[in-house]
Amino acid sequence: MAKYRHGLPLTKGDRFLTDGGMETTMIFHEGVELPLFASFVLMASPEGRRKLKDYYVRYLELARKAGAGFVLDTPTWRANPDWAEKLGYDAAALRAVNEEAVGLLAQLRAQYERPGQPIVLNGAMGPRGDGYKAGNMSADEAEAYHRPQVEAFASTDADMISAVTLTNIDEAIGVARAAKKAAIPCVISFTVETDGRIVTGKTMQEAIEAVDAATDGYPLFYMINCAHPSHFEDALDHGSGWVRRIGGIRANASAMSHQELDESETLDAGDPDDFGRRYGELVRRMPQLRILGGCCGTDHRHIGAICQACMPQPAMSA
């Protein structure tokens, strides 16, 4: 039974950490080969699962020292039918890997959760296509496409789901509708460009308001991901109601555009200290933010800088 699904601590006012860029860390820092940028393939072997646990533990230790709760994401961003088929997974194998990924996180929660520091198990989902390009599904098609992954998570101990790096409104509506029918809380996170707009050219305001209108406001909140804070800081009208629907940030380490990142053969980790300071300013202006983490190019250094800038520091013992 899901521990927090019907009483998410994210709704109680505390701020939670989450991890950085899993795939970029594995590839560029750990030397792990991830075909099609799919980290869920690591679930297939004991060695792969060990690498995943080692990855998570570094962040869980950061959260423990900061006295913060943590949102623990499954490594399943690519674990949807089109990507899985390219990697040789049929529907049954795909459902199994989504379920087993939650089981892996449950083991870590049992080991690391402490009173006052809840660990929320989050089923991570990604877009059907490329996280940098607009898709062309209708909302109904998106709901049908993503339903199997949503239902797989709903059958496990997952407390919630998050669909990240979404590029268009219809796909976000489809995911939210599937989550609503499965009775599992969801968060919708959009990729934005250097102008703070989503890939289709729509503003974040248009995207959030459209998804809320089509789903009766079902998403718990929205997030911004896969862009440097400098790309969207000025696109947020902090006096508007739609901005208060943004509850999380998972920014890129690099200030480069998506095209520049795609063409780069090296990882630009940016400046972790500056990254943390920018998050501190976002939190000051957006006190409703509940999830703070990273996206492409970020690692434990960036999350550590977020801790310093945004989290109350535990009192030092005498």
Side-chain angles (χ1 to χ4, degrees):
M1 177 180 289
K3 185 173 184 178
Y4 297 121
R5 190 178 300 177
H6 303 293
L8 277 172
L10 290 170
T11 66
K12 295 179 171 61
D14 290 334
R15 198 163 287 131
F16 283 66
L17 293 174
T18 191
D19 63 314
M22 175 183 289
E23 290 79 13
T24 52
T25 295
M26 288 290 186
I27 292 169
F28 290 99
H29 294 314
E30 304 295 336
V32 178
E33 186 174 339
L34 295 181
L36 301 180
F37 231 53
S39 51
F40 76 85
V41 300
L42 296 175
M43 290 293 300
S45 70
E47 175 64 14
R49 292 193 293 275
R50 184 191 64 76
K51 288 183 181 296
L52 285 169
K53 284 185 175 181
D54 289 347
Y55 168 84
Y56 290 125
V57 163
R58 180 171 282 175
Y59 293 101
L60 289 167
E61 293 286 3
L62 272 174
R64 177 187 286 181
K65 291 176 182 176
F70 197 83
V71 176
L72 194 54
D73 281 8
T74 54
T76 52
W77 173 66
R78 282 289 202 222
N80 61 54
D82 286 4
W83 294 103
E85 183 180 9
K86 295 174 183 178
L87 293 165
Y89 286 71
D90 63 15
L94 183 58
R95 182 178 179 101
V97 80
N98 279 295
E99 293 173 344
E100 290 164 6
V102 177
L104 180 77
L105 302 194
Q107 294 172 19
L108 288 166
R109 176 162 69 184
Q111 184 177 356
Y112 282 91
E113 190 170 55
R114 296 290 184 272
Q117 294 180 251
I119 295 175
V120 174
L121 306 188
N122 179 49
M125 302 174 59
R128 180 174 189 172
D130 191 308
Y132 290 168
K133 298 175 183 176
N136 56 9
M137 286 188 294
S138 69
D140 287 345
E141 289 170 329
E143 181 183 344
Y145 180 81
H146 289 291
R147 183 182 298 123
Q149 190 175 22
V150 172
E151 291 179 344
F153 288 136
S155 72
T156 70
D157 288 339
D159 299 304
M160 58 181 285
I161 64 167
S162 291
V164 301
T165 68
L166 297 188
T167 60
N168 67 85
I169 293 168
D170 283 341
E171 189 165 20
I173 291 171
V175 173
R177 285 177 175 169
K180 186 175 184 179
K181 288 180 179 177
I184 187 168
C186 81
V187 167
I188 297 293
S189 187
F190 288 105
T191 295
V192 298
E193 298 294 313
T194 55
D195 60 0
R197 293 172 177 257
I198 67 173
V199 176
T200 60
K202 298 289 188 180
T203 64
M204 279 293 296
Q205 178 178 0
E206 290 173 310
I208 289 170
E209 290 179 347
V211 177
D212 270 351
T215 65
D216 295 323
Y218 187 73
L220 190 65
F221 52 76
Y222 296 83
M223 299 202 306
I224 297 173
N225 64 253
C226 213
H228 191 264
S230 63
H231 297 165
F232 56 83
E233 288 164 332
D234 295 335
L236 302 174
D237 179 1
H238 295 282
S240 298
W242 68 270
V243 171
R244 290 193 290 274
R245 289 288 280 138
I246 299 174
I249 303 289
R250 296 196 66 156
N252 280 356
S254 173
M256 291 195 292
S257 69
H258 293 144
Q259 180 177 348
E260 291 169 327
L261 289 172
D262 260 350
E263 294 172 353
S264 178
E265 295 182 0
T266 58
L267 184 68
D268 178 9
D271 180 344
D273 291 334
D274 176 69
F275 189 82
R277 285 192 293 270
R278 290 179 182 272
Y279 268 66
E281 179 60 20
L282 286 167
V283 165
R284 186 187 69 78
R285 298 170 70 188
M286 302 170 69
Q288 80 276 10
L289 291 176
R290 291 291 168 264
I291 298 178
L292 302 177
C295 202
C296 299
T298 60
D299 56 44
H300 64 286
R301 296 170 297 171
H302 302 80
I303 306 305
I306 291 173
C307 283
Q308 291 296 317
C310 304
M311 297 294 184
Q313 298 303 303
M316 297 296 289
S317 58

